[in-house]
Amino acid sequence: MKMRTHTCGQLRSAEAGTPVQLCGWVDSVRDHGGLVFIDLRDRYGVTQCVFDPRDSQAAWDTAQACRSEYVVQISGEVRLRPADMVNPHMATGTIEVRSRSITVLNKAHTPPFPLEDRGAEHVGEDLRLEFRYLDLRRGSMQQALLLRHRVLQAARNYFDEQQFVEIETPVLTKSTPEGARDYLVPSRLCPGLFFALPQAPQQYKQLLMMAGLDRYFQIARCFRDEDLRADRQPEFTQIDLEMSFVTVEDIIAVVDGLIARVMQEAGHPVPALPLPRMTWREAMDRFGTDKPDLRFGMEIVDLAQVFHGTQFKVFARALENGGAVKAINAKGLFQAPIKMVEEDWTGLAKEGGLGGLAYIRVQQDGTWKSPIVKFFSEAEKTALQAALDIQPGDLVLFGADHADKVLPVLGRLRLLAGAHAGVIAPDQFRFTWVTGFPLFERSEEGRLVSVHHPFTAPVPEDLPLLDSEPEQVRAQAYDIVLNGTELGGGSIRIHDPEFQARMFKILGLPEAEVQERFRHLLRALEYGAPPHGGLAIGADRLVMLLAGRQSIRDVIAFPKTQKALDVMMNAPSAVDEKQLRDIHIKLAVTPKAEP
RNA sequence: GGGGUCGUAGCUCAAUUGGUUAGAGUACCAGACUGUCGAUCUGGGUGUUGCGGGUUCAAGUCCCGUCGACCCCGCCA
């Protein structure tokens, strides 16, 4: 005999008269003294079960003693509800189960927070995480996990159709000091040596191309020991892929198809393909960021022409020093609190290295209120109005300094202004590719470092600049961006061992270090490496955006808190002496007592 | 490492200028009720105001420290 014949979301009018047995959680008990109603819940839905003492006194007794979240088994018969008792808000609202017996499979304490989505949305997240198994009983959390499953399943199907092979790569691997901080795992068999958990399967997937696997993908867990954010967890999931004998165009086409498939699976409008593209330079100039949010305007406008030869010293000095004067028009925000503009936003500009933040508030009658307008000539005002399409009610924000300082500041102000104005449509999905990233940038110490990673191939026509002006060299790298979030990125890799060695040299890596860290890769390149490239998409971020959530924690079953703690399992935790002895570790600190 | 918001009943929150016995909704408990479905009605407060110290006649409120959650900067090749 099965424990249940149907699920709690399954029964309809067609089953009227059928004997059924249901299992689930007590969602609510409504005790009328005579009749008792139990709403029985499982993953699939809720079914109303009615207990009438005239049907079974024993069942009625048990039913009225049930409490929320008891796990019960109910058997009875499906019955059509009278027309005036149909509940149009329930999928199973046309029927109920006339119950003849009920078994309490397990009692339950009163939950520490309400499990109805209505009451649970404002519950402290730390409490939800401590009792995550209860939090995950909630419909909205189950929907999120279900969407995640469907998106990943759709990705698997898509890649399978495209002749990709799913291959697992090691989780115990080698530390790579560049990039993010590694999670380390001590080796018991090799005293004093450590594995690292992978930040990404980068080198393994390249080696799979050299193995001739040609098209690889993996839903890969990755680990980075860095500080957390709403969209960053120390362990996260990438949809990782790599292809041989391809150009940038081939990879973008495959990912375009994946995006379309996933959007369809999530029930969102499928974007027209190919997805739009812009260069990194254009993204920086128009949006002040390499991950532009295209859901609203307020784009950055260059004012070098407008203020050429201006009397306003701040702008004149910036332009004379090879800098820039740029602005955004925060449309309609002339009444933004002056405190926000002069303290929060100006503070942000100063953090970004600017001297301050100039602004104009355009009153409804068209007059410009601003500390700086008095320095502008009539011609400048006219040109400025035209350049920024200034209308009554607008707020114009200026930045004047070197472009690489001005642009990021205006980019961040644009996002704040857009949010403040409420013009960022939450239900829109605006994808864009960003291509042509610089290959190198200068580190704080002035050293040349890879923007992406040291295996990234340069754009061929920029090769002559490699030694003379390395910072002008563009990479064959690309990011896929959705609504201002970097979803993923990748590149065409270097497949020539001599060129790869030259790259390490340009990056200033000592030969000994190259040998220690990358010998396997350089050697593999010498045994017949195909041209190849790939990309990785942040699966958590993708699902978060598709689900309309604000945090990736909402689409991860068991996420960590901002201090990277698992407050349900209470991890990390102290270990005993013997465990430490086994792995040859001596603690330099006494662990803080656990909470 | 830095900036910010917060911490009061199981949960979500309130508590005037520092002033009586810390309240409300909900949950929970008990009772009533044969058609409810956010059931209803009656009754019940279940509290280490995160923790430690200080100021004061008096602290949920002010000060110092500390712990924790969240958001952001740095960081994330």
Side-chain angles (χ1 to χ4, degrees):
Chain A
M1 184 64 186
K2 287 182 177 173
M3 286 196 77
R4 59 179 172 185
T5 59
H6 297 77
T7 70
C8 296
Q10 194 175 357
L11 297 172
R12 297 291 185 272
S13 308
E15 279 86 10
T18 312
V20 296
Q21 185 152 280
L22 302 180
C23 291
W25 285 262
V26 173
D27 204 54
S28 69
V29 183
R30 291 181 296 281
D31 181 352
H32 285 251
L35 290 181
V36 172
F37 298 93
I38 286 184
D39 283 348
L40 192 66
R41 183 195 76 236
D42 65 14
R43 229 186 87 185
Y44 307 93
V46 177
T47 298
Q48 173 168 286
C49 304
V50 195
F51 295 81
D52 188 323
R54 292 169 304 193
D55 289 334
S56 164
Q57 183 64 42
W60 183 90
D61 286 342
T62 307
Q64 60 84 229
C66 280
R67 295 292 177 265
S68 288
E69 301 307 311
Y70 277 27
V71 183
V72 299
Q73 180 183 49
I74 293 172
S75 42
E77 181 188 304
V78 179
R79 177 168 63 185
L80 285 179
R81 295 196 197 183
D84 57 336
M85 290 162 201
V86 165
N87 185 342
H89 305 296
M90 286 175 86
T92 60
T94 58
I95 56 94
E96 61 192 1
V97 172
R98 181 181 181 181
S99 310
R100 292 213 164 66
S101 79
I102 173 169
T103 306
V104 176
L105 300 173
N106 227 332
K107 291 188 172 187
H109 288 145
T110 301
F113 54 88
L115 300 189
E116 303 88 54
D117 280 323
R118 181 176 62 254
E121 290 301 335
H122 295 106
V123 173
E125 197 175 3
D126 40 350
L127 190 67
R128 288 172 49 206
L129 290 178
E130 187 179 341
F131 294 91
R132 189 59 157 180
Y133 40 88
L134 299 181
D135 193 32
L136 295 180
R137 282 183 197 166
R138 296 167 41 221
S140 70
M141 292 305 291
Q142 298 209 344
Q143 281 167 27
L145 291 183
L146 189 66
L147 175 65
R148 184 185 178 109
H149 162 74
R150 291 170 59 108
V151 164
L152 292 180
Q153 204 60 35
R156 282 204 163 88
N157 291 337
Y158 174 78
F159 285 125
D160 184 55
E161 291 162 19
Q162 304 277 329
Q163 276 71 56
F164 281 75
V165 185
E166 182 172 13
I167 301 173
E168 292 160 278
T169 53
V171 166
L172 294 175
T173 179
K174 186 180 172 70
S175 177
T176 54
E178 274 190 10
R181 193 175 293 110
D182 283 321
Y183 276 100
L184 296 177
V185 179
S187 163
R188 176 178 58 88
L189 296 174
C190 302
L193 302 186
F194 294 82
F195 293 103
L197 305 182
Q199 298 175 24
Q202 182 60 37
Q203 294 186 46
Y204 286 109
K205 67 176 176 175
Q206 289 190 238
L207 291 163
L208 285 169
M209 294 305 101
M210 297 165 207
L213 271 301
D214 192 68
R215 288 184 161 210
Y216 142 95
F217 87 99
Q218 182 179 195
I219 312 294
R221 192 65 60 87
C222 304
F223 306 85
R224 294 179 190 175
D225 188 4
E226 296 292 347
D227 286 355
L228 287 73
R229 290 281 191 281
D231 62 353
R232 275 164 35 188
Q233 282 274 301
E235 56 178 305
F236 60 101
T237 303
Q238 284 188 347
I239 301 173
D240 193 43
L241 65 97
E242 193 79 7
M243 304 165 73
S244 291
F245 307 115
V246 289
T247 64
V248 173
E249 295 301 321
D250 297 307
I251 291 166
I252 285 182
V254 162
V255 176
D256 275 0
L258 174 69
I259 294 292
R261 175 74 68 94
V262 159
M263 287 292 283
Q264 182 171 34
E265 189 66 30
H268 294 307
V270 176
L273 301 186
L275 295 175
R277 300 184 200 179
M278 70 178 72
T279 63
W280 176 82
R281 187 67 261 161
E282 183 184 357
M284 294 305 295
D285 286 341
R286 288 174 58 194
F287 303 100
T289 174
D290 57 6
K291 43 185 179 183
D293 191 334
L294 303 184
R295 289 175 296 176
F296 69 110
M298 299 186 184
E299 292 187 21
I300 298 169
V301 174
D302 185 83
L303 301 174
Q305 293 299 315
V306 172
F307 290 109
H308 180 73
T310 184
Q311 297 300 303
F312 182 40
K313 291 222 176 70
V314 176
F315 288 2
R317 202 177 308 128
L319 292 171
E320 280 160 21
N321 293 340
V325 177
K326 293 172 186 288
I328 60 171
N329 183 351
K331 302 229 49 109
L333 282 189
F334 80 111
Q335 281 183 317
I338 199 74
K339 195 176 162 190
M340 180 175 73
V341 175
E342 294 207 332
E343 291 181 16
D344 301 352
W345 292 6
T346 300
L348 190 149
K350 287 179 176 169
E351 271 173 40
L354 304 192
L357 180 66
Y359 61 89
I360 301 174
R361 290 187 291 159
V362 185
Q363 307 299 300
Q364 293 292 27
D365 63 9
T367 57
W368 292 10
K369 282 183 80 173
S370 165
I372 60 165
V373 165
K374 59 182 177 228
F375 301 110
F376 295 173
S377 70
E378 284 308 314
E380 284 166 356
K381 287 187 201 170
T382 305
L384 183 63
Q385 153 132 44
L388 283 160
D389 183 30
I390 295 174
Q391 306 285 341
D394 288 352
L395 170 70
V396 181
L397 303 167
F398 296 88
D401 204 311
H402 287 286
D404 53 4
K405 285 184 187 169
V406 171
L407 287 170
V409 167
L410 289 179
R412 288 183 56 194
L413 289 174
R414 173 177 174 267
L415 291 177
L416 293 175
H420 192 77
V423 295
I424 306 179
D427 55 345
Q428 272 195 36
F429 293 89
R430 296 291 302 272
F431 291 91
T432 185
W433 286 98
V434 176
T435 63
F437 283 79
L439 186 61
F440 305 109
E441 62 189 346
R442 291 282 171 190
S443 71
E444 279 174 25
E445 311 89 67
R447 225 159 31 85
L448 216 52
V449 296
S450 298
V451 168
H452 190 50
H453 57 55
F455 319 119
T456 301
V459 169
E461 55 259 41
D462 292 351
L463 277 176
L465 305 172
L466 204 50
D467 294 309
S468 53
E469 298 177 81
E471 283 161 277
Q472 297 304 312
V473 176
R474 290 166 297 164
Q476 292 192 63
Y478 32 81
D479 278 2
I480 176 78
V481 174
L482 169 57
N483 293 353
T485 296
E486 180 193 328
L487 266 191
S491 64
I492 299 295
R493 329 295 184 187
I494 296 166
H495 64 276
D496 173 353
E498 285 176 26
F499 190 82
Q500 183 65 68
R502 185 178 165 202
M503 187 62 62
F504 288 137
K505 199 163 288 173
I506 291 171
L507 289 166
L509 289 177
E511 179 63 20
E513 198 179 325
V514 169
Q515 283 303 315
E516 149 60 21
R517 281 165 50 190
F518 301 115
R519 191 185 51 175
H520 53 283
L521 189 78
L522 286 170
R523 183 201 261 176
L525 290 174
E526 287 167 347
Y527 281 87
H532 62 288
L535 167 139
I537 290 178
D540 314 281
R541 285 182 186 176
L542 173 63
V543 177
M544 170 186 84
L545 293 170
L546 294 175
R549 303 300 180 115
Q550 303 297 315
S551 160
I552 61 171
R553 295 187 298 275
D554 278 348
V555 298
I556 295 173
F558 301 104
K560 309 266 189 294
T561 67
Q562 197 161 61
K563 279 195 75 181
L565 304 176
D566 180 333
V567 288
M568 184 184 66
M569 302 285 278
N570 202 4
S573 58
V575 297
D576 62 43
E577 268 309 305
K578 179 177 183 316
Q579 285 175 289
L580 289 176
R581 238 183 354 260
D582 280 349
I583 55 172
H584 324 286
I585 296 283
K586 260 205 183 88
L587 296 184
V589 294
T590 308
K592 206 175 57 175
E594 288 171 59

